[in-house]
Amino acid sequence: MLSQSLVQDVLNEALTTGGDFAEVFVEDRLTNNLSLQGGLVENSLSGRDFGVGIRLFKGFQSTYTYTTDFTKEGMLKAAKRVAQTVHGDQLLKITDFGQQQVKVLHPIQQMPQSVDKVRKVNVLKKVHESASQYSDLITQVSIRLKDEEQNVLIANSEGAFIEDQRVRNILTVQSIASEKSRMESGYINTGALAGLEHLESIDVNFYGSEASRIAATMLDADPCPSGTFPVVIDNKFGGVIFHEACGHSLEASAVAKNKSVFSNKLGEKVASDLVTYIDDGTLQNEWGSINIDDEGEAARRNVLIENGILKGYLVDKLNARIMNTDITGSSRRESYRFAPTSRMTNTFIAPGESTREDIISNTEYGIFAKYMGGGQVNPATGDYNFGAEEAYIIKNGKIDRPVRGATLIGNGAETLKKVDMVGNNLGHGAGMCGASSGAVPVNVGQPTLRVSELTVGGTKGDA
């Protein structure tokens, strides 16, 4: 992408005023967006973005800038900007880079740019057909496909010079069901760190009909009762609660500032014995996976909580300095416009020994949250509330009637301790996670599990 000699000049320019670490991040991103509305192509947009980010450390101080001017003069000018923010006597100079090769963990078979748009549209039309024909109640179907190829170069004053290619695509389906004055929606997606082979390998009938099934089911749902109940949360995207309420609190960006409920608790019991919580960027071709992080460190599997005991955090280079600990290959950013920091990849609760059927049959009365929607969390306290996109009453150990308006309210640290059954059906769900370094692709995951007691906000009515 850029020559070693040019990158070396930029790094040395950044170090001229006494910084003790400099980094260059070069990005070239190609993006395609395709959407269907009512079975017809609504939008087909493509774009390309190129930029260079430059970061400088002096002790615990970090300065970041970026430029879209990739001439030598433009990049040296940007390097001077960060250099002006620090002052020191010891001047570093980089004279050589080590030879580094990315270990490709996630093979790509069909590059997005090589696939004709007609092939993509044909797949999306099949999804639309299965969604629209599910029920006469379905009045609208929206389908979106985004694919991208991101090529990056990461170099720093410690001698790193490494290039990586990230190829992703994600398909989202939303169906609207209507009857008289009522309207409900159903949403589902599937994403992968893979080429367009992912799109052509999925069960299009499932994704289309499932979005419509959710919408049609919730159209006939009763109001959800409010109160405190056992709550069974289904697998895959059900893990979003633990991602938001617990995962962010295990990132060094919060821990290093003592703004996390898990700060200074390594080795302590923080969850039920049944809970093992893992972040693993090496899972092959998963949506949140990486070959290397955005500081050039290899992807790895990080066990954060093991059998209820806090074992570690997700740590980036700057916060490793502050915390005096090792980095974990967990530094990520949305693009060259953002400085990287500690972020999740594929974060999930490990499978247990119960079946979904066991968990439900052992629940006399409670709520079954099959699909989770959006929510809010306070990362400093772990307090959260999440809406359930699709939920049911459990009565006498069986799934009973569907209910709408269910909101799960709790505290992440407390919820971890109240997990009393964990299923054996681990699944992952794709999402985008927003934080200080922008929005990055992540997987959230878990098996079906039960929280013994959780506050459910709903609509007043008889249970």
Side-chain angles (χ1 to χ4, degrees):
M1 297 175 72
L2 296 180
S3 69
Q4 289 194 4
S5 60
L6 175 55
V7 173
Q8 180 179 310
D9 288 344
V10 174
L11 288 170
N12 284 332
E13 182 64 43
L15 292 166
T16 54
T17 57
D20 55 42
F21 172 83
E23 174 193 76
V24 168
F25 179 86
V26 186
E27 177 185 16
D28 185 8
R29 187 192 299 253
L30 303 169
T31 305
N32 301 299
N33 286 281
L34 183 64
S35 64
L36 262 65
Q37 186 82 26
L40 302 175
V41 176
E42 183 181 43
N43 285 303
S44 179
L45 302 173
S46 299
R48 185 171 188 174
D49 195 12
F50 188 99
V52 181
I54 303 172
R55 186 167 60 149
L56 183 67
F57 291 173
K58 176 66 176 179
F60 298 156
Q61 176 186 346
S62 174
T63 306
Y64 189 77
T65 191
Y66 69 86
T67 180
T68 56
D69 182 352
F70 51 92
T71 64
K72 181 174 182 178
E73 293 75 15
M75 288 188 288
L76 289 176
K77 184 178 179 181
K80 287 180 181 178
R81 286 202 299 271
V82 294
Q84 290 170 358
T85 65
V86 305
H87 301 282
D89 298 328
Q90 185 177 359
L91 302 185
L92 299 178
K93 190 169 185 178
I94 182 169
T95 58
D96 196 14
F97 293 108
Q99 296 297 317
Q100 295 169 284
Q101 204 70 25
V102 169
K103 181 179 181 181
V104 178
L105 303 174
H106 317 287
I108 307 299
Q109 298 175 28
Q110 295 185 56
M111 296 295 292
Q113 306 302 322
S114 69
V115 177
D116 190 281
K117 284 189 178 180
V118 174
R119 284 175 60 189
K120 301 178 187 178
V121 171
N122 287 339
V123 175
L124 268 58
K125 284 187 174 181
K126 291 178 182 177
V127 177
H128 176 269
E129 183 178 0
S130 64
S132 60
Q133 293 182 358
Y134 178 83
S135 167
D136 292 339
L137 296 171
I138 303 302
T139 55
Q140 183 176 318
V141 177
S142 302
I143 305 169
R144 292 179 175 82
L145 171 68
K146 178 180 180 179
D147 61 67
E148 67 178 25
E149 173 189 338
Q150 182 197 31
N151 296 288
V152 301
L153 163 64
I154 303 165
N156 63 42
S157 56
E158 295 174 346
F161 190 97
I162 191 166
E163 295 180 86
D164 188 30
Q165 182 180 68
R166 295 92 177 259
V167 177
R168 285 187 170 88
N169 64 86
I170 187 166
L171 172 75
T172 62
V173 187
Q174 184 178 46
S175 294
I176 305 293
S178 303
E179 188 175 40
K180 296 181 180 179
S181 61
R182 289 200 56 208
M183 182 182 297
E184 293 288 344
S185 65
Y187 172 90
I188 194 169
N189 70 10
T190 175
L193 178 67
L196 266 297
E197 66 273 7
H198 167 250
L199 181 66
E200 295 183 335
S201 69
I202 64 172
D203 182 349
V204 293
N205 291 323
F206 168 77
Y207 285 97
S209 61
E210 184 70 353
S212 294
R213 184 197 62 77
I214 297 168
T217 298
M218 298 313 293
L219 195 64
D220 292 328
D222 295 332
C224 181
S226 58
T228 301
F229 311 107
V231 175
V232 177
I233 306 172
D234 210 2
N235 66 345
K236 299 182 181 179
F237 201 72
V240 69
I241 286 183
F242 297 96
H243 166 97
E244 293 289 356
C246 306
H248 281 297
S249 297
L250 293 168
E251 294 170 336
S253 51
V255 176
K257 300 172 184 175
N258 288 318
K259 292 185 177 180
S260 165
V261 293
F262 298 116
S263 293
N264 305 309
K265 289 188 177 180
L266 284 178
E268 295 185 20
K269 187 173 178 59
V270 297
S272 159
D273 293 344
L274 299 176
V275 173
T276 293
Y277 198 48
I278 299 167
D279 184 271
D280 190 351
T282 71
L283 299 179
Q284 190 173 85
N285 293 110
E286 289 290 348
W287 172 247
S289 292
I290 55 176
N291 290 314
I292 59 173
D293 73 0
D294 288 329
E295 293 178 335
E297 295 294 323
R300 63 199 73 174
R301 176 184 175 92
N302 294 297
V303 177
L304 305 174
I305 299 172
E306 186 173 28
N307 300 326
I309 305 299
L310 182 60
K311 293 292 187 178
Y313 305 114
L314 299 174
V315 187
D316 60 285
K317 192 176 288 290
L318 177 62
N319 284 302
R321 288 185 170 202
I322 297 171
M323 297 167 64
N324 191 28
T325 191
D326 295 330
I327 55 178
T328 59
S330 308
S331 187
R332 305 185 69 193
R333 66 179 99 198
E334 177 180 331
S335 71
Y336 65 87
R337 293 181 174 86
F338 296 84
T341 191
S342 52
R343 304 290 296 275
M344 288 171 274
T345 57
N346 306 303
T347 315
F348 57 94
I349 291 178
E353 298 180 355
S354 301
T355 66
R356 176 193 276 129
E357 292 72 24
D358 289 338
I359 296 172
I360 292 170
S361 65
N362 278 279
T363 305
E364 183 177 350
Y365 186 87
I367 301 294
F368 175 58
K370 182 169 177 58
Y371 283 110
M372 296 304 303
Q376 296 178 328
V377 62
N378 182 334
T381 64
D383 293 333
Y384 65 81
N385 63 80
F386 281 90
E389 184 182 10
E390 181 181 4
Y392 297 82
I393 293 291
I394 300 174
K395 184 179 287 188
N396 299 323
K398 295 181 179 180
I399 299 293
D400 195 50
R401 63 189 189 276
V403 290
R404 55 185 167 82
T407 301
L408 308 186
I409 303 167
N411 175 274
E414 292 302 314
T415 301
L416 283 173
K417 297 174 183 176
K418 293 178 180 178
V419 174
D420 65 356
M421 293 189 78
V422 177
N424 58 8
N425 58 340
L426 172 63
H428 298 275
M432 295 297 294
C433 175
S436 62
S437 62
V440 298
V442 297
N443 262 10
V444 298
Q446 66 175 47
T448 303
L449 58 79
R450 186 175 71 183
V451 181
S452 62
E453 185 180 78
L454 198 58
T455 299
V456 178
T459 305
K460 290 183 179 179
D462 293 332

